[in-house]
């Protein structure tokens, strides 16, 4: 299970960075779609992080990282359907796109990547995701038939080109050559997908506390400070300015694309610099789990999203045939709190093209009974969730009753705040 942190404390920062890059190589093993033969799959909801992208920040006074964001099927990494994907995207004017989404490009096309732009690697990552999900959910489980309708899909993305393009890449291999008239892409303005329930003062409070914790850990790390001082000397800027430019964002792109780290007349940024910063990030992740401030933030940040998810699953369990396949295209700051809120503490920080899947199953022997499975990058994490850990010991079924998730989202998420509702929890401190 490559995306669960089950290793001992001495984690190799270079190995962790490779996992984060998610370079498309051999086909991965996946546990999606596994259930006893008499169970019927009735709904799948997928939350993805966008694929590999160009950095959001540049390291000051270094040469611009030269990465081509044109899609070239003959260049690696590639995909058998990449050429057909490019052709299909050029016909997309018939799709319904909310608001500003219609003005975004449907695939990346700059010979020199723009800041934050999806790369060819990022497109290929989601073409692979879509193909894998198609083999399981369409070919094997017949979740959608050939005459599927627009009402059977629910598609939502943030307003960044990289999330829209990631969604379209996954969708293209999931439903090859789909009819653009059946595509209705909704725009979500919030990166935590809180829609109309974003007013939550205590969520902001816990986020500020969590940011203070991060700062405190960073200033205590002498090795990290020495590395930042050294790197700042190399590029010829004040240490504070280097730190503010978030150098790891750029360095990860160098690393993932196998490009030599930048040099100046004074010297070169090295793998040792990279390792120290990456090691600190991993220590930060571990302390974040222990201190629980992020967990409190996550509960409040993700309740609107999880509540919408649960409402939809309940409606489908009651017989509704619409929105049986749902795709949310989002960011690391979307997936990370969802994993935390669900109690999946062993999950790694979301890599490029990470996917979190909620499967809803109907018991063929007792059709009124419905169960869920939750999978993260193909690994079954259902029984790592806080609401289904104990059920595993008492049940012979490899899944969790839907009611457990419903009770968690509608009631148990608020217990730690001594509250019974989201509105109340957003205005009351935790015990």
């Amino acid at each position: 299970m490559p995306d669960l942190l089950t290793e001992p404390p001495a984690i190799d920062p270079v190995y962790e960075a490779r996992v984060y890059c998610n370079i498309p190589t051999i086909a991965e093993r996946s546990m999606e779609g596994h259930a006893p033969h008499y169970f019927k799959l009735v709904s799948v909801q997928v939350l993805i992080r966008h694929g590999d992208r160009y950095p959001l920040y540049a390291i000051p006074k270094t040469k611009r990282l030269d990465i081509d964001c044109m899609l070239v099927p003959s260049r690696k990494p590639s995909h058998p359907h990449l050429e057909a994907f490019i052709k299909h995207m050029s016909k997309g004017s018939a799709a319904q796109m909310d608001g500003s989404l219609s003005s975004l490009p449907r695939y990346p096309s700059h010979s020199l990547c723009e800041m934050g732009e999806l790369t060819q690697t990022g497109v290929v990552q989601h073409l692979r995701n879509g193909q894998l999900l198609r083999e399981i959910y369409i070919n094997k489980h017949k979740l959608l038939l050939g005459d599927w309708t627009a009402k059977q899909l629910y598609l939502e993305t943030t307003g960044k080109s990289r999330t829209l393009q990631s969604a379209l890449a996954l969708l293209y291999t999931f439903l090859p050559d789909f009819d653009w008239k059946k595509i209705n892409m909704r725009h979500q303005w919030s990166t935590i997908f809180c829609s109309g329930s974003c007013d939550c003062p205590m969520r902001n409070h816990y986020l500020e506390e969590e940011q203070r914790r991060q700062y405190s850990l960073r200033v205590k790390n002498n090795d990290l400070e020495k590395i930042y001082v050294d790197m700042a000397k190399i590029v010829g800027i004040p240490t504070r300015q280097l730190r503010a430019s978030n150098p790891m964002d750029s360095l990860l792109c160098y690393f993932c694309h196998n490009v030599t780290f930048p040099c100046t007349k004074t010297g070169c940024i090295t793998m040792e610099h990279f390792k120290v910063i990456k090691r600190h990030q991993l220590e930060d992740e571990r302390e974040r789990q222990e201190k629980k401030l992020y967990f409190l933030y996550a509960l409040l940040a993700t309740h609107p999203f999880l509540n919408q998810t649960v409402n939809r699953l309940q409606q489908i369990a009651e017989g509704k045939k619409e929105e049986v396949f749902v795709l949310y295209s989002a960011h690391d700051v979307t997936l990370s709190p969802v994993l935390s809120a669900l109690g999946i503490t062993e999950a790694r920080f979301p890599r490029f093209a990470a996917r979190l899947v909620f499967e809803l199953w109907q018991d063929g022997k007792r059709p009124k009974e419905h169960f869920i499975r939750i999978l993260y990058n193909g690994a079954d994490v259902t029984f790592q969730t806080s609401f289904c850990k104990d059920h595993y010991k008492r049940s012979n079924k490899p899944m969790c009753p839907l009611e457990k998730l419903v009770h968690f989202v509608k009631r148990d998420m608020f217990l730690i705040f001594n509250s019974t509702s989201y509105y109340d929890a957003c205005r009351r401190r935790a015990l």
Side-chain angles (χ1 to χ4, degrees), residues 150-415:
K151 286 185 175 178
Q152 289 177 290
L153 301 187
Y154 182 89
L155 312 170
E156 191 168 350
T157 177
T158 63
K160 299 292 183 188
S161 63
R162 61 184 175 274
T163 49
L164 173 64
Q165 292 164 5
S166 293
L168 291 172
L170 186 150
L171 208 55
Y172 180 71
T173 41
F174 185 67
L175 298 167
D177 294 319
F178 56 75
D179 181 349
W180 280 104
K181 293 189 188 77
K182 295 181 183 179
I183 301 305
N184 180 7
M185 190 70 73
R186 293 161 178 87
H187 175 222
Q188 174 57 246
W189 65 272
S190 159
T191 55
I192 54 170
F193 281 64
C194 53
S195 302
S197 306
C198 296
D199 180 24
C200 188
M202 288 311 294
R203 178 195 69 220
N204 300 338
H205 166 76
Y206 291 121
L207 182 58
E208 285 163 15
E209 292 283 302
E210 162 63 12
Q211 287 163 344
R212 274 196 277 274
R213 179 205 63 75
Q214 286 177 6
Y215 176 77
S216 172
L217 184 69
R218 196 186 79 210
V219 296
K220 282 189 285 194
N221 188 333
N222 292 330
D223 290 343
L224 183 69
E225 187 56 28
K226 281 179 199 162
I227 284 293
Y228 276 140
V229 168
D230 194 45
M231 285 170 66
K233 278 181 190 163
I234 289 167
V235 296
I237 58 171
T239 309
R240 190 175 57 194
Q241 189 186 346
L242 178 86
R243 226 187 270 111
S245 73
N246 189 5
M248 196 55 170
D249 184 59
S250 274
L251 293 181
L252 271 166
C253 194
Y254 282 90
F255 180 85
C256 293
H257 287 262
N258 206 19
V259 177
T260 308
F261 293 138
C263 291
T264 66
K265 289 175 184 172
T266 318
C268 293
I269 293 173
T270 67
M271 183 57 82
E272 201 47 48
H273 295 116
F274 179 80
K275 279 183 187 174
V276 170
I277 303 174
K278 186 64 188 168
R279 196 174 287 121
H280 174 75
Q281 283 187 339
L282 296 166
E283 284 168 13
D284 182 70
E285 279 180 52
R286 270 201 293 271
E287 190 188 83
R288 190 175 80 178
Q289 299 283 8
E290 291 163 15
K291 292 286 172 80
K292 297 292 184 193
L293 291 165
Y294 186 80
F295 174 64
L296 297 172
Y297 158 75
L299 288 172
L300 296 176
T302 63
H303 180 264
F305 169 79
L306 289 172
N307 192 47
Q308 185 185 40
T309 299
V310 157
N311 289 343
R312 187 180 286 114
L313 292 173
Q314 283 184 298
Q315 287 168 359
I316 290 168
E318 287 160 11
K320 188 181 173 189
K321 303 290 186 204
E322 295 176 2
E323 298 180 2
V324 294
F325 180 75
V326 177
L327 177 63
Y328 295 102
S329 190
H331 305 266
D332 53 3
V333 293
T334 321
L335 257 86
S336 198
V338 173
L339 291 164
S340 179
L342 294 173
I344 307 168
T345 53
E346 290 178 15
R348 276 192 172 88
F349 187 80
R351 68 190 192 188
F352 286 130
R355 65 182 189 275
L356 181 68
V357 178
F358 296 81
E359 296 176 348
L360 181 65
W361 296 84
Q362 183 181 38
D363 187 333
K365 295 177 180 176
R366 297 185 177 126
K368 290 199 170 167
E369 291 189 14
H370 288 78
F371 295 80
I372 57 157
R373 293 177 77 233
I374 299 175
L375 301 107
Y376 182 48
N377 295 332
D380 187 344
V381 294
T382 311
F383 297 113
Q384 290 182 27
T385 59
S386 56
F387 53 87
C388 224
K389 270 189 176 122
D390 297 332
H391 181 75
Y392 183 57
K393 297 163 193 164
R394 300 195 303 271
S395 170
N396 58 353
K397 289 175 181 150
M399 44 187 80
C400 184
L402 174 60
E403 308 85 74
K404 294 261 184 196
L405 176 62
V406 173
H407 290 156
F408 171 71
V409 172
K410 302 286 184 186
R411 183 190 66 197
D412 297 349
M413 279 182 97
F414 311 125
L415 294 179

